[in-house]
Amino acid sequence: MKIPEYIACFSKRFLLIVIIIIANNIFLSGCWDMVELEDRGFALGVALDKGEKEGEITVTYQIALPSKMYGEKGGEGKKVMNISTMAPNISRANKQILARMDKVLNLEHIQVLIFGEELAREGISDYIDFFVRDINMRRKTHIIVSKGKAREAFDITPPTSLSTSQYISDIIRLNEERMQRISTDVDLLKLSINIRERSDYLLTELTMGEDDITLSGAAVFKDNKLIGFLDADEVRKMKWFTSEITSATIIVKDVADMKDEVVFEAMNVDSRVVPVIQKDNVKFKLNIRIEGIVAEEKQLNYSNTHTQKFLSSLEKKVEEQIKKDCMEMLNKAQHKFETDFFNLGHLVKQYDARWWLENSNQWDDIFKTATLDFEIEVYARAIGLIE
Amino acid sequence: MMERGKDRDRISGIQVVAIISSTIIGAGIMSFPNNVAHKVTVDGTIVVVLSGLLVLAITFMIAYLAKKFPQSTIFDYSSSLVGRFLGKGITGIMLIYFLLVSASVVRIFANVIKLFLLEKTPIEIIILSFLILSTYLVKNGINPIARICEAFFPIIIISLSILLILSLQNFNIKEFYSMWQIDVFEIIKAIPTTLLSYLGFEVLLIIPAFMMEPDKVIKCGIIGTGVAVIVYIATEVMTMGVFTLEDLRYLLYPTLELAKSISFPGAFAERFDIFYAVFWVLAVFTTFAVYHYLSAYSLTRLIGLKNYRPFCYLLMPIIYFISLLPKNISYVQQISKLVSYFGAIVVIVIPLFLLSAAAIRKRRVKLHEDT
């Protein structure tokens, strides 16, 4: 065969390079174990429940259907797919799920991990290891405990969001710090630290209505087992013990000897717990500084709220109310739950690690005898637009 | 023209700084907070700071030796100080050490890469491709290595700084409240382990021979080690503040875990850990290339030849087989432990021995002159 003129005019070396480049393009054009984006099933949430058989759990994944969420056909039909399977552990469940789905399971975008109440009562530590050990999981996954079956939460389709998981995660992301009635967010990072340090903790509680979801209150964990719930009001009260509190509304009665009810809205809150550690007991000192305004007054005692007498009485009342709330919560922790769910033990450890090394075995007993000191400053700065 | 040809294998002061720093910052940065946490009960920062200072002192000692014998490597001055036989022995120990380090670095690298980026690629392929690339770089002499280090050094430092700064969102200063509850015995016991995570500054035993300005060796050595020490301290502080000390004992790769815990507002990059792993590859590559070069060079000197280039190729299969010897990650950790004991001999025992030999010799010469 005669080589045509228009090819032969190039040097052999040049042709060789061209051939290599073309060959590279053909043979090296993709990863050999690549999975196309359309073939990936992105899980948005996981729900873990107790299985029907002993020693088994029900694992439910909420899988996103991006083609239904976005694009031309977007907006019609269900936007997510919930798949449940029963297995003794999570790795097995992940394999079983592959038989029922035309996509490859991908865990990189999991937003929430929900434990059912029943499973949580038996302990969650056995099932957390997979998510910490697996390379694909992120540490910012929110951990939640649901009253009732966790997987039923995924059946509720909220109107403002594409999926239940994103809805829950957005409530936490946007409103957890604006409102004191949701327990402080615990993500996979914090939970794994708590479990490995063997401390007690609170997780956000989820309750389901007919077709809506409420995040409020908290689930109390001792030895990684659910032992009870705090209602929303109790969560608000216990938040004085955390330094994360930024705002609060406090209702006080009978200010300045008038039969009224005043809502005090705290704008700037600075709260700090300092442990005072002695030989074998611990005292906690609660430093709280609040600035706030009068937000509501029920009895309409006009032209009274701006008086010095009213405001100083209000400050006094607010201070008493906070003390009462804190004492109530400490009592509940010490005697009702017998659990250090404030994680004050960790605080003690931060302040005096050597003491903690020696006494951490007896912490449960020491915590029960712990007392509380207060140093509260309340400033009622303004009264709004009405005298 | 002759002058230029001679200068081709010379390196500048900045390049020495880059080589030392990027040799120290390598595979170990992934896991060293874990090693430290196993040795202490209350706080790891003080130990890391103290051993960092100790490392600077040792660097000064090695650089002092190098300054005393300009234009020559440890192989040259050891045989002139303690005789040909012991000199060969020192060269042999260093050769074994460099080979073991190369093998363990490439194995740790392959383990992490397989875990993260190339899940289905056989570990042999990862190691082999790394070795081929490194051989291609190393066979051309010290100058290309120095340039690669110089080019990668800022990238490594910047990517690590980004990681550490972004980790501030999870940082909790309270974890350091009891750091001053010092237990002296505990610290003394923990220092050797921590000291050995800094290994890499021993390149100063050989590299100064190629310097254009040999009188700057102490300054460059201290700066190079100092940068790495600062990076290590910052990493330790960050991992301690994000995870607690107790938790660090459970995390195999705390620095990587740091990257996994970062979240961006708007979440445009949800997997920061992969981004970080990519830059970590650069850090490991510079470390490995330097050690590959040093093993080839010391083997040449042990045999007594001039041209080290063939040995770059010869060492490829040797490093490959040593790196595949450990069956699993547990053996890999045991091998790295063994390597660090060798490292202790190389960075502390040998330089001290040579320094005292030099001192005795000097005194003898002086006595000789007096009489």
Side-chain angles (χ1 to χ4, degrees), chain A residues 43 78 264:
Chain A
K78 289 195 85 174
F264 177 78

Side-chain angles (χ1 to χ4, degrees), chain B residues 315-336:
Chain B
L315 283 179
M316 245 168 80
I318 297 175
I319 295 174
Y320 175 79
F321 280 117
I322 300 176
S323 69
L324 286 177
L325 273 183
K327 265 193 300 190
N328 54 34
I329 188 149
S330 163
Y331 285 105
V332 173
Q333 280 173 344
Q334 281 176 27
I335 293 252
S336 348

Side-chain angles (χ1 to χ4, degrees), chain A residues 31-49:
Chain A
C31 302
W32 65 329
D33 52 354
M34 178 175 153
V35 181
E36 293 292 341
L37 199 61
E38 300 91 79
D39 292 338
R40 287 179 194 262
F42 290 107
L44 295 173
V46 201
L48 302 180
D49 282 305

